């Protein structure tokens, strides 16, 4: 029985992910995916407008996995500790999935996509909301608008610093988890001044 268009699409996403995990982003081309998956290059482009479009779907899955990892953090009543637990889960996910994370990071850093679809942005918003919920508890005296922006800035900062985690050569001697924790907590300490006059 012939596969449906959706089954082929899922097959290609799975095979592309295997290539990303094993070989990295530089290895993911239409020709190499064709060779690996057994589907023609034409079939790949019938499913995805471009390889960048396929990368968006791979990055959606990475964001879903990251969100799943973050939600396994053992949250308590201390918002400060909760935020640090979220950071720890984030760092562990990035370090455990370097090729996938590099793919996500690179798509944003290289700005290969002009505008992201709502389905993609919703995944980022869910992650930011985990931070915002705890920032709300920690900084109740900070106005909602500033707290929301602070959560977005915190996510963008951690996201930008994540390149440190996936870089082997330039930062090999640094204790990367420690550096991330210091920078993260320095930001949190700075936020405490937003609510003060």
């Amino acid at each position: 029985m012939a596969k449906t268009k959706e089954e082929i699409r899922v097959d290609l996403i799975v095979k592309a992910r295997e290539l990303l995990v094993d070989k990295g982003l530089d290895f993911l081309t239409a020709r190499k995916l064709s060779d690996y998956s057994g589907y023609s290059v034409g079939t790949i482009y019938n499913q995805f407008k471009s390889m960048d479009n396929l990368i968006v779907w791979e990055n959606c899955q990475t964001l879903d996995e990251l969100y799943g990892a973050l939600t396994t953090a053992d949250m308590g009543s201390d918002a400060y500790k909760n935020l640090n637990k979220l950071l720890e889960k984030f760092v562990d996910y990035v370090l455990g999935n370097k090729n996938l994370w590099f793919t996500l990071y690179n798509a944003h850093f290289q700005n290969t996509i002009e505008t992201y679809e709502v389905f993609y942005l919703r995944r980022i918003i869910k992650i930011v909301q985990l931070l915002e919920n705890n920032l709300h508890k920690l900084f109740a005296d900070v106005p909602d608008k500033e707290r929301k922006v602070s959560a977005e800035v915190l996510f963008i900062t951690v996201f930008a610093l994540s390149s440190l985690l996936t870089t082997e050569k330039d930062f090999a001697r640094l204790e990367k988890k420690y550096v991330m924790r210091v920078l993260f907590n320095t930001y949190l300490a700075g936020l405490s001044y937003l609510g003060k006059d």
Side-chain angles (χ1 to χ4, degrees):
M1 178 190 253
K3 290 188 175 185
T4 66
K5 184 174 180 173
E6 185 58 31
E7 289 171 329
I8 293 169
R9 185 178 186 82
V10 169
D11 280 351
L12 287 168
I13 290 171
V14 168
K15 293 297 185 185
R17 194 157 195 83
E18 289 171 4
L19 286 175
L20 286 173
V21 168
D22 292 341
K23 306 278 187 180
L25 180 59
D26 291 340
F27 197 82
L28 185 60
T29 65
R31 172 61 47 210
K32 289 176 182 172
L33 179 58
S34 173
D35 292 344
Y36 185 69
S37 68
Y39 291 107
S40 70
V41 171
T43 298
I44 293 168
Y45 285 114
N46 281 334
Q47 294 294 321
F48 304 97
K49 293 179 277 187
S50 65
M51 290 304 287
D52 285 342
N53 182 247
L54 173 59
I55 294 297
V56 167
W57 287 99
E58 294 299 335
N59 289 343
C60 278
Q61 191 170 340
T62 299
L63 289 168
D64 287 343
E65 288 175 4
L66 172 62
Y67 180 79
L70 293 174
T71 59
T72 66
D74 183 24
M75 298 297 202
S77 59
D78 186 326
Y80 177 78
K81 287 182 181 177
N82 289 346
L83 285 163
N84 275 275
K85 288 176 184 177
L86 289 171
L87 175 67
E88 186 176 325
K89 290 291 184 180
F90 174 85
V91 169
D92 288 345
Y93 180 82
V94 172
L95 289 173
N97 299 280
K98 287 183 180 181
N99 284 344
L100 295 176
W101 192 257
F102 177 78
T103 302
L104 179 90
Y105 184 87
N106 189 61
H108 287 268
F109 182 72
Q110 297 293 333
N111 202 20
T112 57
I113 308 297
E114 287 184 32
T115 57
Y116 286 96
E117 300 284 338
V118 172
F119 67 86
Y120 185 86
L121 296 174
R122 282 189 180 139
R123 287 165 164 86
I124 294 172
I125 290 167
K126 279 178 29 176
I127 293 167
V128 172
Q129 284 175 337
L130 290 174
L131 296 171
E132 190 179 345
N133 292 342
N134 284 287
L135 286 174
H136 180 75
K137 295 173 191 171
L138 191 59
F139 303 111
D141 54 338
V142 173
D144 286 341
K145 184 178 180 181
E146 287 183 34
R147 200 171 39 244
K148 185 173 183 58
V149 169
S150 296
E152 292 168 357
V153 170
L154 182 57
F155 176 74
I156 291 166
T157 302
V158 170
F159 183 82
L161 289 171
S162 68
S163 66
L164 165 81
L165 298 170
T166 58
T167 303
E168 299 300 328
K169 284 177 20 182
D170 298 334
F171 303 106
R173 293 178 23 198
L174 288 177
E175 174 51 53
K176 296 172 183 181
K177 284 186 174 187
Y178 177 74
V179 171
M180 291 290 287
R181 192 168 50 249
V182 167
L183 293 169
F184 185 83
N185 285 295
T186 300
Y187 181 80
L188 292 179
L191 284 181
S192 65
Y193 289 97
L194 282 178
K196 298 178 179 177
D197 293 330

